[in-house]
Amino acid sequence: MASAAAPNGVASSEYDLMLKLAQHLDRHMIFPLLEFNAGQLVDEESGNVKDEVKAREIMQAKYSLLKKTNMTDYVANLYCDMEGLEEPPAEFADRKQKVFSQLQKYEQETSKIIELLERDDVVNNLRSDKVANLEYLKREHEVTMDMVNALFDLGNLQYSCGNYADASEMLYRFRVLSTDNDKVAFATWGRLACEILTMNWESAMEELQKVREVIDSKLSQNPLAQLQHRTALTHWALFPLFNFEKAREPILELFFNAGYINTIQANCPWILRYLAVAVITNRGRAKNIGVHQKQMKDIVRIVKQEAYEYQDPVTRFVHALCVDFDFEEAQRQLVLAEEVLRGDFFLLAHADDFVDSARHLIFESYCKIHARISLKDLSARLGLDADAAEKWIVNLIRDTRLDAKIDYKGGTVVMNHPPSSVYQQVIEKTKGGFFRTQVLSAAVAK
């Protein structure tokens, strides 16, 4: 286990997942992560850049990332900043003109079909049968397949220009009419990217579900492609997971689905950091306590299994607390984990929540094996001073109705552990025996 004796900032830089995440994100999605990293280099009080060399590296990374897109104005400004120029070279103006001409071309090609799709009399005649819709539009309004495909081309071009809302609309219209399954799947991924980048989380969750259905159905006969697509979707899902409260339950359900948890373990174990944080911070939010408890058990099991493949302070905290029951090590890793979270694009806003939830876990685990706990000792376990720990425990006992009390005279927390009745113990033993008998019977039947 790593020691917590590390200089400030070392943990977050050592465990930076930027390069791993970037391999599975669209280039437009990587840009916000680079912006975040650049912001981390700015001193909050003075506004000065703390590391000029690193800041320049990030600027160069932005340029390399976006120069292949059609965000011509932004790329030209980046180039000027990098080279210290007042005006960008003529090639940027030429390229901007080419992009503008291409936009005009596609807009002309799609103007008729867009106008038709905005008319109520036309829309009311459309049905769920795409072939019939195309026949109707071709017969009544002389719409061609080239016009439909032009919607796809315009959506792609708008996306490349950074016009995500317009791109989403074009891809939606294309998907309504097209019978080309490959292009429809591509358009669905495109719409998901657009909704993420415009932070339209409700729609993003709808598109995420559609992408999941495409992966499960269309790629069922191609395990390698299915693994790659599931890996990508897992990374894209991090955006709504940590930015939209209503996404927490469905995305956790997705990640713990057998196909996706296998994907995480086989292809991207670093996602365990995000999965562990999501589960731990979900303790007070979960609608179904039983489901949350199962997810907690699953994350502990998987962290233990994958310790040889991937570790960071978050997973080490889980391992130390829930596998080794090493409270001192858990506290050391929690200090490092907080630093790591504050340097992570997805987790910064959840750092305080994670630390508080982690302290609850420490307290619960510690209370399970002790009847009387020293406040001084417990405050050290929780990483709080004595007064703060006392207030924290009082609030916890009140809010959770924990069967405990504080002995102020003795400076201890007294836990009440009522023994299980013999009747209850017999029930639990019988349940376990019955389950094992079923498993053995099923195995023999095979």
Side-chain angles (χ1 to χ4, degrees):
M1 294 289 179
S3 169
N8 186 42
V10 170
S12 55
S13 60
E14 181 183 353
Y15 297 105
D16 184 7
L17 294 177
M18 176 70 186
L19 293 178
K20 293 183 183 295
L21 297 173
Q23 297 175 45
H24 305 286
L25 296 174
D26 180 85
R27 67 178 65 245
H28 291 258
M29 293 180 184
I30 300 170
F31 180 72
L33 276 68
L34 287 174
E35 285 280 84
F36 173 79
N37 285 356
Q40 293 282 89
L41 297 176
V42 178
D43 186 90
E44 291 183 3
E45 294 182 2
S46 65
N48 296 327
V49 177
K50 292 180 281 190
D51 189 336
E52 293 285 355
V53 175
K54 185 70 175 176
R56 182 165 181 81
E57 287 177 357
I58 293 175
M59 186 185 296
Q60 289 173 335
K62 288 181 188 176
Y63 178 75
S64 299
L65 182 75
L66 299 178
K67 67 181 181 181
K68 293 182 180 179
T69 71
N70 289 314
M71 300 168 68
T72 51
D73 287 339
Y74 187 81
V75 172
N77 291 335
L78 271 178
Y79 185 83
C80 290
D81 291 340
M82 287 169 51
E83 302 299 327
L85 301 175
E86 290 291 330
E87 295 291 334
E91 64 186 82
F92 288 98
D94 294 341
R95 186 173 177 191
K96 180 178 179 179
Q97 184 57 45
K98 289 179 181 177
V99 172
F100 186 70
S101 299
Q102 203 169 11
L103 273 172
Q104 284 187 316
K105 173 178 175 289
Y106 288 142
E107 285 171 355
Q108 288 174 357
E109 292 175 358
T110 58
S111 59
K112 180 177 180 178
I113 195 169
I114 290 173
E115 182 185 348
L116 288 170
L117 292 175
E118 290 175 348
R119 283 170 47 182
D120 291 340
D121 62 314
V122 174
V123 172
N124 290 337
N125 281 301
L126 297 180
R127 301 291 180 265
S128 58
D129 186 342
K130 291 184 180 181
V131 174
N133 289 340
L134 286 172
E135 285 297 323
Y136 160 73
L137 290 172
K138 182 179 180 180
R139 182 179 65 255
E140 300 294 330
H141 302 285
E142 299 181 341
V143 169
T144 66
M145 202 63 214
D146 288 340
M147 293 180 187
V148 175
N149 287 329
L151 289 171
F152 180 81
D153 295 332
L154 179 56
N156 276 338
L157 184 58
Q158 292 278 24
Y159 182 80
S160 184
C161 292
N163 301 327
Y164 306 122
D166 292 339
S168 178
E169 185 63 25
M170 291 304 108
L171 293 173
Y172 172 77
R173 288 170 173 172
F174 166 79
R175 196 172 62 186
V176 166
L177 297 174
S178 178
T179 55
D180 186 327
N181 290 333
D182 290 339
K183 279 191 173 182
V184 166
F186 192 89
T188 303
W189 278 97
R191 282 213 79 213
L192 174 56
C194 291
E195 302 308 318
I196 287 172
L197 290 164
T198 54
M199 295 185 287
N200 188 357
W201 302 120
E202 291 275 5
S203 182
M205 288 303 298
E206 294 175 9
E207 295 303 321
L208 188 145
Q209 182 59 35
K210 287 184 173 67
V211 170
R212 179 184 180 181
E213 291 168 1
V214 169
I215 294 171
D216 290 344
S217 60
K218 305 296 183 183
L219 300 177
S220 58
Q221 303 303 314
N222 189 341
L224 179 58
Q226 195 171 58
L227 175 68
Q228 293 168 340
H229 282 71
R230 280 177 174 166
T231 301
L233 185 60
T234 299
H235 286 76
W236 290 31
L238 295 178
F239 287 90
L241 175 60
F242 293 108
N243 287 285
F244 183 48
E245 189 64 33
K246 292 181 181 178
R248 184 69 64 96
E249 299 283 346
I251 292 181
L252 280 176
E253 182 274 326
L254 171 71
F255 282 5
F256 279 106
N257 171 272
Y260 283 85
I261 202 65
N262 290 338
T263 295
I264 291 169
Q265 290 184 260
N267 218 30
C268 49
W270 50 87
I271 295 295
L272 289 177
R273 171 191 297 180
Y274 302 102
L275 189 53
V277 170
V279 171
I280 290 171
T281 56
N282 205 41
R283 51 176 288 114
R285 300 185 178 99
K287 296 176 183 177
N288 189 320
I289 300 301
V291 171
H292 177 260
Q293 290 175 340
K294 183 180 185 307
Q295 289 176 347
M296 192 67 210
K297 288 180 181 178
D298 286 343
I299 196 65
V300 171
R301 172 179 55 80
I302 296 163
V303 162
K304 182 180 178 181
Q305 289 175 350
E306 299 301 319
Y308 73 97
E309 186 69 32
Y310 177 78
Q311 292 185 42
D312 65 25
V314 173
T315 63
R316 286 178 186 147
F317 165 77
V318 173
H319 197 286
L321 181 63
C322 303
V323 179
D324 298 334
F325 299 100
D326 185 339
F327 295 99
E328 292 182 1
E329 182 62 23
Q331 176 54 36
R332 284 196 291 270
Q333 294 302 329
L334 181 56
V335 173
L336 281 176
E338 181 179 3
E339 187 179 341
V340 168
L341 265 63
R342 296 196 188 283
D344 189 297
F345 171 81
F346 293 105
L347 302 177
L348 172 63
H350 302 271
D352 291 337
D353 193 8
F354 174 79
V355 171
D356 188 58
S357 298
R359 284 175 178 153
H360 277 77
L361 278 179
I362 293 173
F363 184 75
E364 288 175 1
S365 299
Y366 204 65
C367 289
K368 285 177 183 177
I369 57 176
H370 293 84
R372 183 179 290 270
I373 308 164
S374 164
L375 274 171
K376 183 178 179 181
D377 183 45
L378 191 55
S379 64
R381 305 289 183 203
L382 297 174
L384 298 169
D385 60 49
D387 291 339
E390 185 178 313
K391 291 178 183 177
W392 189 87
I393 293 165
V394 168
N395 290 333
L396 177 65
I397 291 172
R398 183 188 67 239
D399 295 341
T400 62
R401 297 182 181 180
L402 191 67
D403 194 358
K405 63 181 180 179
I406 296 179
D407 179 359
Y408 291 100
K409 186 175 180 181
T412 59
V413 179
V414 181
M415 303 300 304
N416 181 24
H417 294 299
S420 298
S421 67
V422 174
Y423 177 70
Q424 188 63 36
Q425 291 180 39
V426 170
I427 290 176
E428 294 300 323
K429 293 282 187 183
T430 305
K431 281 182 180 178
F434 180 68
F435 175 73
R436 286 192 290 273
T437 301
Q438 283 186 314
V439 173
L440 286 171
S441 298
V444 171
K446 290 180 180 179

